[in-house]
Amino acid sequence: MHRRMQRKNKHTGGTGVLVTLDFETYYDQEYSLRKMTTAEYVNDPRFFIHMVGIKLNDGPTECYTDEAEIAEALYAIDWDEAILNCQNTHFDGFILASHFSLYPREYSDTRSMSQALYVGNQSHSLSAIANRLFDGWKKGDELADSKGVERLTGDLLLKIREYCINDVELTYAAYNKMIDRMPDREMLLIDLTARMFCQPRLMLDIERAASSLCDIQDSKSRIIKASGLPKTKLSSNLQFATWIREQGMEPPKKVSATTGKETWALGKNDIEFQQLIADHPEHQKVWEARLEAKSTIAEKRTERFIRHAEVNAGFMPVPLNYYGAHTGRFSGRDKMNFQNLQRGSELRKCLIAPEGYQVLVVDSSNIEARMLAWLAGQEDVLDVFRSGGDVYADMASKIYGFSVNKKDHPTERFVGKTAVLGLGYGMSANKFRMTLATGAMGPRIDISEEEAEKIVRTYRKSNKFVTSLWKTFQKAIEYMVDPGGPWKVKDLLPLGYQTIELPSGLFLRYPNLRYNISRANNEYGFHGEIDYVYGDNTRIYGGKLTENVIQALARIVVCEQMLDIDEVLQEVGGSVVLTVHDEVVAVVPDEHAEAMYAMAIDVMRTAPQWAEGLPLDAEGGVAKEYSK
């Protein structure tokens, strides 16, 4: 395994060499990355390297097409002193690891850099990056001519060779254009993200996963059978809508955001369907069966995990998008989403450490709720956190007017938990009621409209500094449309034109932020305010911007802690192998497991310098499997 490089010179790595590299490989109609995961594609018997383009620092790009020359060129590089720079390092770095057992000292990735610097609905393909950064320098499209050609010769070989060289030069130039704007710590996160995939340490208990798959399929069959309706009727929107009418109800409809036409609103995330479920609990078994019949996520994910492990000798390369969300959060990629592994799920427990190692898990407790209270200056809530109290029970006690505790009042406490986690960004009473009724955050609980409205009023009355923060960010939106001089929110977040600078050195960006001409009485407490939208027409308001900022700040804290933990783990032969929301997951040698767990807990309980007074806490454990 490689050692981390301390970057002295951002362009060359200082102590080593920047290796910009691009593999061109065989693909056809069926055998391609569009239809297969990266690991399946690279480990398939059909895999064949046509050529590799290599650029060392700012030297000329050399392109090698002969199998022996490719190997000789790659093994001639001192990878212990190299930063590997690619447009898609998950692909090229994985080939280096799988077929050549080569591991650079650090990974870079221009696609990831672009994600951090140009967030939004923009593409981060090399073609899009070229169009964004360079005037007239285009990425070629000649690769399509090689589709289905097993061995390149003659003019086609020369054409793809030039294509490959152009890609390498573009990737290097893009790196140089972006590197000075990328904070060093963010580059280390890109490296860590690539290592999770290219140098996997987690494994899958394939036998246990196969058993879990059978259980999922059996459970689905039981739920559908209990509804009394055939799967065909539950799965078909038209047939299910007909059944709803037969029961004396009106099937909800909506206008499709894609087609602009009216369609059925019968999906699990459709508010109209959630309302129908809440209003008619007598059909609960049918609602459950409908959702089960339409959902194949758990089944397909388990099947994919099994295939993924089988082509990797039992190991689980973790494909994550660094800066996958607008707020910087990681997201899933490569047809696999490790970010949606439910806590306590059997599939989580199928992820195991290799022989002689343990899985270490640390979870930042309630970090968004803590960050919100801290940024807002809601000191009474912060005091509950600082004293080790139960902030959910505390909120529930305010809602119900008596002292609530987790043991004796689980339902009331859960309502308090939903209030703390859901109402902090301006959620309406109706949406709060739907959240409880559909079980979106846990058990299903039915409350009346009046109760929901009372809970929202209670939350806002007892969290006046939070509601004041919404208004501050509403003003921030107005400022970002037309800045009138220097202004920092809470003396922490400098505002600019369509941007908010974060403590990490990166920015929250709201491209094309503008007034929405129509005025709207909205459900977020800002009646009569002018609407604002950004991008293609995404609505933004004080509560939503508050949520964006809190999630971005929480992400910075957890990622900084993750880097600190990984640095210590590397010294004892361990490493961080996965992050799931606010969890850091690592593999550590048996003999160091308890000491490293104590270290990780301590790191995640320590607030960054820019967040003085932020009370953090963490929990977790070590086990053979990912059991938390």
Side-chain angles (χ1 to χ4, degrees):
M1 297 298 171
H2 75 278
R3 301 180 304 277
R4 174 171 292 151
M5 173 183 290
Q6 296 300 319
R7 186 185 290 102
K8 293 184 179 179
N9 182 299
K10 281 189 173 183
H11 295 285
T12 66
T15 60
V17 59
L18 181 69
V19 181
T20 305
L21 179 149
D22 182 35
F23 284 105
E24 304 300 345
T25 61
Y26 169 76
Y27 76 105
D28 59 31
Q29 184 66 30
E30 297 302 320
Y31 171 63
S32 73
L33 289 172
R34 291 184 180 275
K35 297 190 176 182
M36 306 169 72
T37 65
T38 299
E40 288 172 336
Y41 176 86
V42 171
N43 289 317
D44 191 276
R46 291 167 288 183
F47 180 78
F48 180 79
I49 298 172
H50 288 312
M51 64 188 67
V52 62
I54 302 174
K55 184 181 181 71
L56 304 181
N57 289 333
D58 59 355
T61 297
E62 302 290 345
C63 190
Y64 304 92
T65 59
D66 177 78
E67 186 174 354
E69 289 181 350
I70 290 172
E72 182 180 359
L74 291 174
Y75 287 119
I77 296 170
D78 182 2
W79 290 102
D80 284 341
E81 297 296 330
I83 296 176
L84 175 65
N85 176 50
C86 310
Q87 164 62 14
N88 183 0
T89 304
H90 275 59
F91 179 68
D92 297 293
F94 194 74
I95 293 172
L96 275 180
S98 297
H99 288 269
F100 300 94
S101 298
L102 293 175
Y103 309 96
R105 199 164 168 187
E106 184 176 334
Y107 293 96
S108 178
D109 183 77
T110 49
R111 180 178 184 271
S112 296
M113 296 166 72
S114 177
Q115 286 176 323
L117 296 175
Y118 302 97
V119 293
N121 294 325
Q122 302 183 64
S123 170
H124 303 286
S125 68
L126 186 56
S127 178
I129 292 173
N131 292 337
R132 195 153 49 230
L133 298 180
F134 306 109
D135 184 16
W137 190 355
K138 301 294 183 182
K139 172 180 166 53
D141 56 8
E142 296 89 348
L143 186 64
D145 295 337
S146 72
K147 183 177 180 179
V149 181
E150 293 186 1
R151 301 295 182 266
L152 304 182
T153 59
D155 290 343
L156 181 58
L157 176 64
L158 295 176
K159 181 188 292 187
I160 302 304
R161 183 179 182 276
E162 291 303 311
Y163 167 90
C164 179
I165 291 172
N166 185 62
D167 271 11
V168 172
E169 292 291 344
L170 260 177
T171 301
Y172 174 75
Y175 173 92
N176 281 322
K177 277 278 191 178
M178 295 186 285
I179 189 62
D180 285 336
R181 297 164 59 195
M182 286 294 299
D184 282 349
R185 298 285 280 179
E186 293 295 326
M187 292 303 295
L188 291 179
L189 279 172
I190 290 175
D191 167 54
L192 179 55
T193 306
R195 276 195 282 128
M196 291 177 189
F197 187 74
C198 298
Q199 301 179 28
R201 305 286 295 275
L202 272 180
M203 301 187 73
L204 186 74
D205 185 333
I206 296 177
E207 184 177 341
R208 185 172 182 175
S211 176
S212 173
L213 179 60
C214 291
D215 291 341
I216 291 169
Q217 293 167 340
D218 289 345
S219 175
K220 175 177 285 193
S221 296
R222 286 196 301 271
I223 291 172
I224 291 175
K225 184 176 181 181
S227 73
L229 297 179
K231 184 179 179 180
T232 51
K233 181 172 289 190
L234 291 164
S235 300
S236 166
N237 283 344
L238 180 59
Q239 292 185 47
F240 190 61
T242 300
W243 178 87
I244 290 174
R245 281 204 180 96
E246 290 171 350
Q247 312 312 307
M249 301 174 286
E250 185 61 29
K253 291 186 176 183
K254 64 180 179 181
V255 175
S256 170
T258 304
T259 65
K261 298 179 180 179
E262 190 176 58
T263 186
W264 302 111
L266 296 172
K268 67 176 183 178
N269 295 323
D270 290 326
I271 295 295
E272 301 88 347
F273 187 44
Q274 293 175 4
Q275 182 75 57
L276 186 69
I277 291 173
D279 291 343
H280 295 278
E282 69 273 16
H283 298 299
Q284 190 60 46
K285 289 184 178 180
V286 174
W287 307 138
E288 290 178 356
R290 161 69 179 186
L291 297 176
E292 197 69 31
K294 294 292 287 185
S295 175
T296 60
I297 293 176
E299 192 172 354
K300 287 186 175 180
R301 178 178 291 139
T302 304
E303 291 174 344
R304 188 157 283 156
F305 270 44
I306 292 172
R307 291 199 304 273
H308 196 57
E310 287 176 340
V311 300
N312 287 286
F315 283 91
M316 292 294 288
V318 175
L320 293 178
N321 265 321
Y322 158 85
Y323 234 88
H326 177 232
T327 56
R329 294 256 184 190
F330 289 92
S331 65
R333 64 181 289 180
D334 206 14
K335 307 173 184 66
M336 300 182 71
N337 192 354
F338 279 79
Q339 296 297 289
N340 284 345
L341 291 173
Q342 292 184 343
R343 294 193 178 189
S345 67
E346 184 65 12
L347 190 54
R348 270 198 184 207
K349 296 174 184 177
C350 292
L351 294 170
I352 59 175
E355 188 68 29
Y357 291 82
Q358 297 282 314
V359 176
L360 184 158
V361 183
V362 277
D363 178 22
S364 187
S365 304
N366 320 115
I367 187 169
E368 282 196 29
R370 293 168 186 268
M371 185 66 75
L372 176 62
W374 173 79
L375 190 63
Q378 194 69 51
E379 288 296 329
D380 57 330
V381 176
L382 291 173
D383 286 341
V384 175
F385 281 126
R386 289 173 181 138
S387 66
D390 186 338
V391 71
Y392 301 149
D394 182 72
M395 186 69 243
S397 298
K398 294 173 182 175
I399 291 170
Y400 292 101
F402 62 85
S403 182
V404 171
N405 66 74
K406 186 175 183 178
K407 178 182 177 182
D408 299 322
H409 315 100
T411 301
E412 290 83 356
R413 181 183 179 276
F414 178 73
V415 172
K417 177 180 180 179
T418 306
V420 169
L421 299 180
L423 298 180
Y425 305 126
M427 180 186 285
S428 69
N430 184 56
K431 189 172 182 180
F432 179 74
R433 179 172 172 250
M434 291 303 100
T435 300
L436 288 172
T438 58
M441 296 177 65
R444 292 182 173 89
I445 297 175
D446 291 314
I447 62 174
S448 66
E449 293 179 9
E450 293 74 19
E451 287 177 299
E453 290 170 357
K454 179 183 176 183
I455 291 170
V456 170
R457 287 196 301 270
T458 301
Y459 176 88
R460 294 184 179 184
K461 184 177 180 181
S462 61
N463 289 272
K464 290 185 178 179
F465 289 95
V466 172
T467 60
S468 177
L469 186 64
W470 303 342
K471 296 174 183 177
T472 297
F473 277 115
Q474 185 69 26
K475 292 178 181 177
I477 295 170
E478 300 171 12
Y479 176 92
M480 286 190 288
V481 171
D482 184 21
W487 181 29
K488 289 184 180 181
V489 174
K490 296 293 183 177
D491 202 33
L492 175 69
L493 304 163
L495 300 181
Y497 179 59
Q498 301 180 352
T499 64
I500 300 176
E501 185 175 354
L502 299 168
S504 64
L506 294 175
F507 294 80
L508 279 174
R509 299 180 184 276
Y510 297 88
N512 197 23
L513 181 65
R514 59 199 185 278
Y515 300 111
N516 192 1
I517 296 176
S518 63
R519 291 175 177 268
N521 287 329
N522 62 66
E523 60 184 29
Y524 299 94
F526 300 105
H527 301 289
E529 295 284 357
I530 297 175
D531 265 354
Y532 292 87
V533 294
Y534 70 96
D536 291 335
N537 218 29
T538 303
R539 189 164 175 264
I540 188 71
Y541 46 88
K544 187 65 177 178
L545 184 56
T546 302
E547 182 179 28
N548 285 178
V549 169
I550 295 303
Q551 288 184 352
L553 294 178
R555 175 264 182 196
I556 293 169
V557 170
V558 173
C559 285
E560 286 284 323
Q561 293 168 336
M562 182 166 65
L563 287 175
D564 290 340
I565 290 169
D566 184 68
E567 186 173 3
V568 178
L569 289 175
Q570 292 278 333
E571 296 175 0
V572 299
S575 63
V576 170
V577 295
L578 172 64
T579 176
V580 180
H581 301 304
D582 302 322
E583 283 185 349
V584 176
V585 185
V587 164
V588 61
D590 288 337
E591 63 270 26
H592 297 290
E594 293 300 330
M596 291 298 99
Y597 172 65
M599 174 275 299
I601 286 289
D602 183 62
V603 168
M604 295 194 75
R605 286 175 174 168
T606 304
Q609 290 184 350
W610 54 264
E612 183 179 355
L614 171 64
L616 296 177
D617 199 4
E619 59 183 4
V622 289
K624 186 62 182 177
E625 71 280 346
Y626 181 17
S627 57
K628 188 177 181 302

